[in-house]
Amino acid sequence: MPISPAFTVSQSIVDTANLTFSDVSSGSATLTTRRIYILNSSGAYVVPTGTTTSYIVWPYSDASIEVTLPVDIAQSCNVTVQWYNGVTLVTELTQAVEWDLQQWLFAFGLLQTQTSQPRIVQDTQYWPDTWTFLTNLILSESATEDMADIYSAQSSLDSNEFIMSNSQNNF
Amino acid sequence: MATVAQILTAAPIAANLASTAIQNGVMFGNRPLDNQLHKKILSTYLIINKIYENSGIVGETDATGLITINSTTGTNLEALVNDPLEGSISLGSYTKQVGDTTASILATSIAATLNANAYNYLVSAALGVISITAPNGRGATMNTGNRLSVTATVVAETRARVFLSPSRISTGTVFSIVVNDPVLGITTIATYTQQAGDSTEAIFIGNMITAINTNIYGYTCVTYLANTAFYIYATVGLGATINGNVGAVTWSGGSNTDNFSGGVTAQSLIDNTLTQFSGGVTEVPPTTALIKCANYLWELEGPYGIRAGRYLGITGGQVSPVSPPFSPYPIEFYVTADTLIPTGSSTVTLNGSNGTPDLRGYNLAFYRGTFLQGQLDPGGGGTYCAWNRVTGVFTLLGGYAPNFGAAVVSELFQLNPYL
């Protein structure tokens, strides 16, 4: 049975710059290695610091691999994994993937503030700004997962980055 | 009190209930209290749920071990567990009974005994397989170390015997050797006819022993003191079951009898195959921050969370509540036929049912036409009210006929709950 490529990506909640790629392919083929390409919405390949290629080498003997992104920010990217037998490309799969736990953790931080300072929610713009922030996040995830539109998704995430960097004016 | 998982499960329903209440205008009258409540609940839920899902939080799964009963061979079985908390424990011991005629029946019988253990291990059986589920608190630790074992009280069989010492009668006398076999019943296992050559008792007994040892039932005869008497040993396998049964040598006009004794039934481990505990998952509990935020959400859900919990059958849990930071907003309206207290009515129950707000637990200041109403009769036809903060029953009292305090159309009412 030929290989049916599949992979998943998870983000560490402890260190949000850390991603774990897992190969969940089915079928069989003679394979020796894999490559991971992470293409962001600006058209640049994202690789860990010190990597000189535009891809990340993922040995076939490892069912999963941990990748540390150079910058810890929320991103929506097109991720391509290629499966190789030697230098021969056997198959590949591209998926739009978003890692945005940084922003969810920011929202969770706001919530923790609410629990200790409940009257903060009486600020006129507190809830509306929170909802704007969440709306951006949900729209971003929807654009990535449902439409593979990493550009719209990244736009929403960038809006939230602005809100986060100016949080003293918003919350 | 609800757990974090339960609070999160109830939240979307609570938000929906709050939204419905807002649309019905029940909570607000002419003055909205918090028409954003459903959005606040939902957004708070989304944040906590996302963190909850990514925090690796898992509930405990109890490990299960198996004892497969292969056949009815063997007589007893004791199940032992090396429990991580209790140490080495016995779940119980079972000795096979007459009614355990198949492996499946035997497994069910063993499981019933083991299930009565004092350590909260759950034991059941189906199709000859005994399933042993570890109690809470062990998680994945049960999966390692070959914690399940079985043992048995092993005893070798001792054959019961009778002691007989018949004497010669006369040549041609027929002697029957009879036993009361627990399986076969009264059985003549051998006969011997006294011979002319039985010139002495020793020769007679020796010849009778030879005759008995030709029996087809497995009884064995052994001489005693130079053929002065003999023992008959019961068939292998009868063990103690033949104890007390008679064994005899009979002839016309007489008999020599004894009762079988000394028989011990063999005991051995019931034929089984073990499968060690597996599938246990150790609980990863929510962090303090998650519990704190979930409690905040629970307070935000308020009566709608409780109602959602009722729908979901949520009871119990480990999260302690925090005090609500706010009282509900005042309820203010001009009396019409459709308001919380409609024209002509003098009572309403504010307990969350029938679309009313749940103000139970709060004190209530009631303003009628901007004037604060007391709960004591001012006399002189003045109006006042009664508020039961346990039941939520609010009653308008006093006034003149014909209304006697009942709501009059266009009156301004304000209900102000406070802690």
Side-chain angles (χ1 to χ4, degrees):
Chain A
M1 191 173 88
I3 188 169
S4 178
F7 66 89
T8 62
V9 188
S10 62
Q11 186 179 14
S12 167
I13 198 168
V14 178
D15 183 353
T16 48
N18 273 355
L19 307 178
T20 300
F21 291 76
S22 299
D23 189 340
V24 291
S25 302
S26 56
S28 61
T30 302
L31 299 166
T32 56
T33 191
R34 313 178 191 85
R35 290 179 184 175
I36 303 170
Y37 290 88
I38 304 174
L39 185 63
N40 69 18
S41 62
S42 301
Y45 287 103
V46 180
V47 292
T49 303
T51 302
T52 55
T53 56
S54 58
Y55 56 84
I56 301 154
V57 175
W58 181 4
Y60 191 70
S61 56
D62 298 333
S64 63
I65 185 173
E66 192 173 288
V67 173
T68 302
L69 298 178
V71 183
D72 187 9
I73 60 169
Q75 295 185 77
S76 177
C77 297
N78 279 324
V79 175
T80 300
V81 175
Q82 296 179 330
W83 283 261
Y84 282 86
N85 177 14
V87 294
T88 305
L89 176 63
V90 176
T91 187
E92 65 179 359
L93 176 65
T94 299
Q95 290 178 186
V97 178
E98 177 168 322
W99 36 92
D100 57 11
L101 273 182
Q102 296 93 335
Q103 298 193 356
W104 283 105
L105 283 169
F106 174 80
F108 189 68
L110 290 177
L111 203 54
Q112 286 182 274
T113 304
Q114 283 173 238
T115 64
S116 55
Q117 303 172 44
R119 298 210 175 264
I120 196 172
V121 298
Q122 291 182 336
D123 291 352
T124 311
Q125 280 304 302
Y126 185 90
W127 280 110
D129 286 345
T130 300
W131 292 330
T132 300
F133 189 85
L134 289 179
T135 302
N136 283 337
L137 262 174
I138 293 165
L139 289 177
S140 172
E141 290 186 351
S142 179
T144 301
E145 294 167 10
D146 301 332
M147 306 299 290
D149 181 359
I150 65 170
Y151 308 101
S152 298
Q154 191 62 49
S155 176
S156 294
L157 293 175
D158 290 345
S159 296
N160 276 357
E161 285 295 329
F162 180 80
I163 293 174
M164 289 165 66
S165 59
N166 294 279
S167 62
Q168 73 278 9
N169 301 324
N170 298 293
F171 301 103
Chain B
M1 195 59 208
T3 64
V4 172
Q6 289 171 333
I7 291 169
L8 291 173
T9 304
I13 299 172
N16 199 28
L17 290 170
S19 175
T20 302
I22 292 167
Q23 289 171 32
N24 290 340
V26 171
M27 287 183 65
F28 314 111
N30 290 345
R31 179 179 175 181
L33 296 178
D34 185 358
N35 59 4
Q36 310 279 7
L37 178 60
H38 57 308
K39 292 165 67 178
K40 292 176 181 176
I41 293 173
L42 204 52
S43 56
T44 305
Y45 155 75
L46 286 171
I47 296 167
I48 299 174
N49 195 51
K50 187 74 173 187
I51 302 303
Y52 183 84
E53 287 179 341
N54 284 276
S55 294
I57 295 166
V58 293
E60 178 174 352
T61 301
D62 298 326
T64 299
L66 305 176
I67 303 173
T68 302
I69 302 302
N70 300 319
S71 70
T72 56
T73 302
T75 56
N76 64 81
L77 181 147
E78 181 178 15
L80 304 172
V81 174
N82 180 13
D83 185 283
L85 303 179
E86 303 282 352
S88 185
I89 58 173
S90 171
L91 300 183
S93 178
Y94 181 78
T95 299
K96 189 172 67 178
Q97 304 296 309
V98 176
D100 297 324
T101 53
T102 68
S104 181
I105 294 171
L106 180 56
T108 302
S109 301
I110 296 170
T113 297
L114 301 186
N115 195 45
N117 72 86
Y119 303 99
N120 295 321
Y121 279 77
L122 294 177
V123 185
S124 61
L127 302 175
V129 179
I130 300 168
S131 177
I132 302 173
T133 302
N136 276 338
R138 278 70 172 173
T141 57
M142 292 299 295
N143 299 341
T144 56
N146 294 329
R147 294 181 176 278
L148 180 62
S149 61
V150 292
T151 186
T153 305
V154 177
V155 177
E157 180 180 4
T158 301
R159 298 166 72 182
R161 65 185 184 182
V162 286
F163 180 76
L164 299 170
S165 55
S167 297
R168 293 172 293 168
I169 303 299
S170 59
T171 300
T173 301
V174 177
F175 295 85
S176 296
I177 296 85
V178 180
V179 298
N180 182 7
D181 187 289
V183 177
L184 303 173
I186 303 294
T187 304
T188 300
I189 61 171
T191 58
Y192 176 70
T193 303
Q194 186 176 329
Q195 304 296 309
D198 293 334
S199 55
T200 64
E201 292 294 336
I203 294 171
F204 168 71
I205 293 294
N207 288 335
M208 184 174 285
I209 290 171
T210 300
I212 294 170
N213 280 330
T214 61
N215 80 87
I216 61 172
Y217 302 101
Y219 286 81
T220 306
C221 192
V222 177
T223 183
Y224 174 76
L225 274 184
N227 286 354
T228 56
F230 56 81
Y231 291 109
I232 298 177
Y233 286 84
T235 305
V236 173
L238 293 180
T241 60
I242 199 171
N243 286 347
N245 287 12
V246 72
V249 177
T250 64
W251 61 92
S252 178
S255 67
N256 172 222
T257 67
D258 188 19
N259 288 333
F260 280 95
S261 63
V264 176
T265 302
Q267 294 187 49
S268 61
L269 181 63
I270 290 170
D271 182 18
N272 74 91
T273 303
L274 277 186
T275 304
Q276 286 300 326
F277 283 101
S278 64
V281 176
T282 301
E283 179 187 17
V284 178
T287 61
T288 304
L290 262 173
I291 293 173
K292 193 174 174 184
C293 289
N295 280 337
Y296 180 84
L297 173 59
W298 184 244
E299 294 297 337
L300 209 55
E301 292 174 19
Y304 305 107
I306 294 170
R307 204 181 305 170
R310 276 194 218 118
Y311 296 153
L312 295 167
I314 291 172
T315 56
Q318 81 274 24
V319 179
S320 300
V322 295
S323 299
F326 305 111
S327 301
Y329 286 100
I331 303 169
E332 191 174 17
F333 56 91
Y334 291 100
V335 173
T336 70
D338 300 320
T339 46
L340 184 61
I341 306 174
T343 305
S345 175
S346 58
T347 187
V348 64
T349 301
L350 304 172
N351 64 356
S353 62
N354 300 318
T356 63
D358 188 355
L359 301 185
R360 287 175 297 178
Y362 294 99
N363 296 310
L364 191 67
F366 172 53
Y367 291 86
R368 186 166 196 164
T370 73
F371 294 104
L372 180 61
Q373 302 285 291
Q375 294 199 48
L376 296 175
D377 186 351
T383 56
Y384 63 109
C385 64
W387 167 240
N388 187 326
R389 72 176 186 173
V390 176
T391 63
V393 174
F394 176 72
T395 310
L396 300 171
L397 297 165
Y400 294 103
N403 293 321
F404 290 110
V408 177
V409 67
S410 299
E411 267 194 297
L412 176 60
F413 279 7
Q414 187 184 47
L415 303 169
N416 189 0
Y418 64 95
L419 290 170

